[in-house]
Amino acid sequence: LEDFTYTKELLINTIDSFTWHEHLGRRVQHYGYEFDYILRTIHSDQSLGSFPDFLAKLIRQLSALYPQIDLVDQITINEYQPGQGIAQHVDTHSAFESFIASLSLGSSVIFEMKHGDQHVSVPLAARSFLVMEDEARYGWTHGIPYRKTDRVDGQIIHRGRRISLTLRKIRGRPCTDCSFPSLCDTHLGAPPLPSRISG
């Protein structure tokens, strides 16, 4: 994404001017609604208020690429230092609607998606904008391996600090008509737990 009004450095500096919180061994910020890491859900009656101006502006810019971004009412910002990652998981079906969007800042990283015996590695460069919807959102797990380097096109890439903005629309109701019950918290009775929840 080369045409942002924000430069990468300005956006990162703006994010760093807000308070970081420690969750699951990494630093996070929540806007709109806080994600409950224990129950792995959103409490729709506990709004954190309106987005700060920099996020409202970012949503306007991203909606030119993906119009449904206008519906976003929950944003989680994660910081990943070299060696940090996130276990394979699916964003809780009953908590969020049918798309999950992510903007990467800072270091590049390998984003991994899995579905049964299928495994896809997606290189995410700085300022990459990723959207998962429908089957990719509900039927595949995704995660970032815990390591300090990635191999891309035969080259070893050393990770630096990465900041990820995850943009979602809260659902707040059971996923009763789900086409992907094997990963659905409504059908399973609880969200499927990631294999590693700290680190």
Side-chain angles (χ1 to χ4, degrees), residues 118-166:
Q118 299 179 72
H119 181 189
V120 178
S121 295
V122 182
L124 294 181
R127 296 170 72 163
S128 294
F129 181 55
L130 171 75
V131 177
M132 296 179 292
E133 57 184 0
D134 301 327
E135 182 181 357
R137 180 263 186 269
Y138 289 120
W140 289 63
T141 62
H142 59 272
I144 295 171
Y146 294 79
R147 59 194 183 210
K148 295 184 178 181
T149 62
D150 292 308
R151 183 181 294 272
V152 179
D153 296 329
Q155 293 187 321
I156 300 297
I157 307 297
H158 292 270
R159 291 185 187 175
R161 183 193 187 208
R162 175 176 176 264
I163 293 176
S164 171
L165 292 84
T166 303

Side-chain angles (χ1 to χ4, degrees), residues 57-77:
K57 181 178 180 180
L58 184 65
I59 287 172
R60 289 194 297 270
Q61 290 181 295
L62 293 176
S63 65
L65 299 173
Y66 185 74
Q68 290 192 71
I69 291 297
D70 278 338
L71 302 175
V72 165
D73 55 10
Q74 195 277 331
I75 296 176
T76 296
I77 303 178

